[in-house]
Amino acid sequence: MQYWQADIETLAPQELAALQLQKLCRSVEQAGRSEFYRKRFAQHSLSAESIRSLDDIRRFPFTCKDELRQEYPWGLLTVGHDEIVRMHCTSGTTGNPVAILHSRRDLHNWANLVARSLFAAGTRPGEVFQNSSGYGLFTGGLGFQSGAELLGCLSIPAGSGNSQRQIKLMRDFGTTCLHAVPSYLGRLHNVFIENGLQPAKDTKLKRLFIGAEPHSEETRQRIQELYGCKAYNSFGMTEMNGPGVAFECECQNGMHLWEDAYLMEIIDPDTLEPLPDGELGELVLTTLDREAMPIIRYRTRDLTRIIAETCPCGRSARRIDRITGRSDDMFIIKGCNVFPIQIERILMRISEVGSDYLITLDSNDDGDFMLVQAELKHEAFSDEFPKLEQLRKRIAAAMRDEIQVTPRVQLVNPDTLPKSEGKAVRVKDLRKN
Ligand code: ADP
Ligand code: ZN
């Protein structure tokens, strides 16, 4: 068995498009049952009947995060309250939460996409899947849990933090797959070492699933070296269910976005015009299967590009490249546009640097400045001062070459930067607006 759902995963492109068109009409019709879309479609004289081809989606207005917030909690609901069985919230990284409500069928479809994703990355029934996501409202907990159970894995809801217990569970139950945010895996590895253990030798880990926050290829490589196994990129967001929107297959060359469940577009975030395959822009998604809360043309603010070439694995869902960041992650310092991931890429190429860093933007009488604090690895920390000073200068120069601004660089003791339970906070902007 090579696929979780061979019939859907290997559809010919025209068949996939036909399925999408049929589902799009149904989804728009369903969306029109909510108060929010009923008004909106009426304003623009839009209806499911007016859709003849997939391109007709462009006549529909976008849906933005702020609108979802304003419609909290029921504005986008299309079914009776007796038909909804669960709600989830965004982690609120950028403001008030958005609540998404699911019917029983929605939960099943979501679990199926997660199972399909885990399967595509090589997981098979009978394996042991451990989840270090926070449970509760965050979708990385129950979302992965349900998918792994549907696939047929022993699923361990370890929850976030408590590294000693994570390691004990992994060893006692023979965990083969671990889901974690990438920023946690460096810390967890330190705890393995403190216990005189090595993940590659002292656990049965075969693969890691890493996602929920932007990370570079350099970070993935590092994680794979630390754990001696493959790490697969996992992408999703609460508004689109949660995990299981796009996932890397065993080829590890971009994430298959499950196009039978989501219609994707890439737009120029400034002009809002569609961009051709291969060009970097904002990902816009429409749910094709959701019953209780369909969302039409959701502006994710995540920046990526479509990889149009077919994947050697034979799945027809097109892939997206790793997320560069959110359009609102970008900051401007001394007139230069910078994404945190550009800084990360440089740091992760330097072997003396550990996995945690913090970018602080501040101002003094001389104007704005950027401070990059990077934790050293334990072994590098003992190096003498001149060596560290040289390293510091090397990092600052590499950053200047990349972003055209020379930051102040500070190398700090291992484990001294603030840690967060879920997603890592990489940028602190203390400048007065
Ligand atoms: P919030 O928007 O409040 O953080 P979510 O938990 O729904 O709530 O987070 C979804 C967001 O997380 C995505 O829109 C994206 O910005 C980020 N994200 C999720 N997976 C990845 C990934 N694999 N790579 C980069 N960013 C990711
Ligand atoms: Zn593939």
Side-chain angles (χ1 to χ4, degrees), residues 248-251 253-254 256 311-315 319:
E248 271 185 331
C249 68
E250 286 181 281
C251 304
N253 54 4
H256 288 281
C311 182
C313 77
R315 289 180 178 81
R319 288 161 294 158

Side-chain angles (χ1 to χ4, degrees), residues 250-411:
E250 286 181 281
C251 304
Q252 284 189 309
N253 54 4
M255 300 178 276
H256 288 281
L257 192 137
W258 302 125
E259 292 185 275
D260 60 301
Y262 304 96
L263 185 66
M264 73 164 145
E265 300 168 79
I266 301 281
I267 60 162
D268 178 319
D270 299 319
T271 65
L272 308 184
E273 288 303 315
L275 289 174
D277 287 357
E279 279 190 37
L280 184 74
E282 180 178 340
L283 178 68
V284 172
L285 294 173
T286 297
T287 62
L288 294 178
D289 274 333
R290 223 157 50 191
E291 185 176 50
M293 224 184 227
I295 300 183
I296 310 298
R297 299 195 92 193
Y298 181 61
R299 286 191 62 181
T300 66
R301 299 197 257 187
D302 290 323
L303 301 174
T304 184
R305 62 185 190 96
I306 293 178
I307 304 170
E309 298 79 44
T310 46
C311 182
C313 77
R315 289 180 178 81
S316 39
R318 283 174 302 166
R319 288 161 294 158
I320 55 168
D321 207 347
R322 66 176 57 254
I323 309 288
T324 320
R326 299 190 200 212
S327 46
D328 40 10
D329 277 347
M330 193 194 76
F331 58 84
I332 301 177
I333 180 95
K334 293 189 190 291
C336 297
N337 297 352
V338 181
F339 277 102
I341 208 160
Q342 293 178 282
I343 306 291
E344 178 187 299
R345 231 179 271 148
I346 292 167
L347 291 174
M348 293 306 129
R349 275 185 217 138
I350 297 179
S351 59
E352 291 91 338
V353 171
S355 44
D356 270 324
Y357 64 94
L358 179 66
I359 302 165
T360 306
L361 308 171
D362 207 349
S363 55
N364 58 19
D365 293 345
D366 300 330
D368 288 356
F369 67 89
M370 172 173 154
L371 168 69
V372 177
Q373 291 169 297
E375 282 185 3
L376 284 166
K377 283 189 185 153
H378 282 276
E379 55 273 27
F381 183 59
S382 49
D383 282 353
E384 340 60 270
F385 181 75
K387 247 171 119 180
L388 288 181
E389 190 52 20
Q390 221 177 29
L391 177 63
R392 212 179 55 74
K393 287 194 178 136
R394 181 151 65 93
I395 296 173
M399 289 187 182
R400 187 198 51 227
D401 290 348
E402 166 79 23
I403 60 172
Q404 274 78 54
V405 176
T406 312
R408 300 181 186 179
V409 175
Q410 214 179 50
L411 299 170

Side-chain angles (χ1 to χ4, degrees), residues 198-266:
Q198 282 178 27
K201 283 214 325 249
D202 301 302
T203 71
K204 295 202 172 134
L205 280 176
K206 284 199 244 178
R207 62 189 82 76
L208 306 166
F209 307 117
I210 54 173
E213 55 187 26
H215 57 282
S216 56
E217 180 59 35
E218 283 79 359
T219 293
R220 185 237 292 271
Q221 296 295 343
R222 260 195 184 208
I223 290 173
Q224 294 193 149
E225 278 162 33
L226 290 178
Y227 286 82
C229 64
K230 301 269 186 198
Y232 298 90
N233 198 352
S234 145
F235 172 77
M237 74 199 66
T238 312
E239 296 85 342
M240 294 289 126
N241 293 344
V245 174
F247 219 90
E248 271 185 331
C249 68
E250 286 181 281
C251 304
Q252 284 189 309
N253 54 4
M255 300 178 276
H256 288 281
L257 192 137
W258 302 125
E259 292 185 275
D260 60 301
Y262 304 96
L263 185 66
M264 73 164 145
E265 300 168 79
I266 301 281

Side-chain angles (χ1 to χ4, degrees), residues 73-274:
W74 313 116
L76 273 91
L77 186 63
T78 63
V79 297
H81 285 231
D82 53 344
E83 287 180 64
I84 43 178
V85 295
R86 198 194 296 164
M87 67 83 73
H88 277 286
C89 264
T90 61
S91 50
T93 315
T94 54
N96 291 327
V98 167
I100 301 294
L101 301 154
H102 299 271
S103 69
R104 205 177 292 279
R105 200 171 80 199
D106 289 335
L107 288 186
H108 175 77
N109 287 341
W110 175 17
N112 182 58
L113 290 180
V114 175
R116 189 199 284 178
S117 301
L118 296 174
F119 194 98
T123 318
R124 294 294 175 268
E127 288 200 38
V128 182
F129 171 87
Q130 185 166 326
N131 193 1
S132 70
S133 267
Y135 276 63
L137 294 171
F138 178 57
T139 55
L142 287 170
F144 265 106
Q145 179 75 27
S146 311
E149 286 171 3
L150 185 65
L151 177 58
C153 294
L154 165 59
S155 311
I156 307 180
S160 64
N162 203 338
S163 302
Q164 292 290 0
R165 191 178 62 184
Q166 299 281 0
I167 295 172
K168 180 168 166 50
L169 289 169
M170 255 180 249
R171 285 163 52 79
D172 291 351
F173 291 91
T175 299
T176 58
C177 304
L178 174 69
H179 169 241
V181 289
S183 55
Y184 175 60
L185 286 169
R187 264 179 282 151
L188 181 65
H189 185 262
N190 288 343
V191 181
F192 268 105
I193 300 301
E194 282 160 27
N195 286 290
L197 298 169
Q198 282 178 27
K201 283 214 325 249
D202 301 302
T203 71
K204 295 202 172 134
L205 280 176
K206 284 199 244 178
R207 62 189 82 76
L208 306 166
F209 307 117
I210 54 173
E213 55 187 26
H215 57 282
S216 56
E217 180 59 35
E218 283 79 359
T219 293
R220 185 237 292 271
Q221 296 295 343
R222 260 195 184 208
I223 290 173
Q224 294 193 149
E225 278 162 33
L226 290 178
Y227 286 82
C229 64
K230 301 269 186 198
Y232 298 90
N233 198 352
S234 145
F235 172 77
M237 74 199 66
T238 312
E239 296 85 342
M240 294 289 126
N241 293 344
V245 174
F247 219 90
E248 271 185 331
C249 68
E250 286 181 281
C251 304
Q252 284 189 309
N253 54 4
M255 300 178 276
H256 288 281
L257 192 137
W258 302 125
E259 292 185 275
D260 60 301
Y262 304 96
L263 185 66
M264 73 164 145
E265 300 168 79
I266 301 281
I267 60 162
D268 178 319
D270 299 319
T271 65
L272 308 184
E273 288 303 315

Side-chain angles (χ1 to χ4, degrees), residues 19-34 37-38 41 47-49 51 57 60 76 78 105-106 240 260-263 285-297:
L19 178 69
Q20 285 188 305
L21 181 59
Q22 179 202 337
K23 286 186 171 192
L24 176 64
C25 295
R26 204 179 60 195
S27 197
V28 166
E29 194 184 324
Q30 180 72 4
R33 301 200 171 103
S34 72
Y37 282 117
R38 188 181 327 116
F41 293 170
S47 69
E49 290 78 58
I51 300 175
I57 187 74
F60 285 74
L76 273 91
T78 63
R105 200 171 80 199
D106 289 335
M240 294 289 126
D260 60 301
Y262 304 96
L263 185 66
L285 294 173
T286 297
T287 62
L288 294 178
D289 274 333
R290 223 157 50 191
E291 185 176 50
M293 224 184 227
I295 300 183
I296 310 298
R297 299 195 92 193

